[in-house]
Amino acid sequence: MAGDEGEPIEVRIPRAALDAMAAALSVRTVAMRTWPDGIEWMYPLGTWDEPHLEVALMPGGEEVWLRMSTDRSRVVVWTIEQWWDFTRQLPGATSPE
């Protein structure tokens, strides 16, 4: 996602937060919260009170948004292909096709 001037912004996702999301997805233990704007964000179950990675599938299924709970104003936008590449690397992952 670009900043106000069209410049790329930087989002830092700590390795521990990414690892926690990967583990949660691999055993299907994610929780979901819907924001007032209607976007439903997934996060690793049991991590709401600590810094965690949040993931949202955008309508149409072409983009996945990622953000850290510590700075929800910054969002990384992945294509669905990038998301599948990430999830295929998880232990026990199966192909979506």
Side-chain angles (χ1 to χ4, degrees):
M1 180 174 239
D4 292 337
E5 295 83 34
E7 293 295 320
I9 60 172
E10 182 175 295
V11 176
R12 294 179 185 259
I13 299 174
R15 182 68 190 195
L18 194 56
D19 288 347
M21 177 57 81
L25 289 170
S26 71
V27 294
R28 294 177 171 85
T29 57
V30 294
M32 301 176 114
R33 288 213 176 169
T34 302
W35 246 235
D37 59 8
I39 296 175
E40 192 169 55
W41 291 90
M42 296 179 288
Y43 63 95
L45 187 65
T47 63
W48 188 255
D49 294 327
E50 56 193 64
H52 60 272
L53 179 65
E54 299 174 345
V55 178
L57 178 63
M58 291 295 99
E62 297 300 319
E63 290 182 346
V64 177
W65 289 9
L66 298 93
R67 69 182 183 185
M68 280 300 296
S69 60
T70 53
D71 183 2
R72 292 186 173 111
S73 68
R74 297 178 183 264
V75 175
V76 173
V77 178
W78 279 1
T79 65
I80 195 68
E81 291 81 15
Q82 289 171 307
W83 177 250
W84 285 126
D85 287 346
F86 167 70
T87 59
R88 282 186 194 106
Q89 297 174 30
L90 302 176
T94 58
S95 175
E97 289 92 31

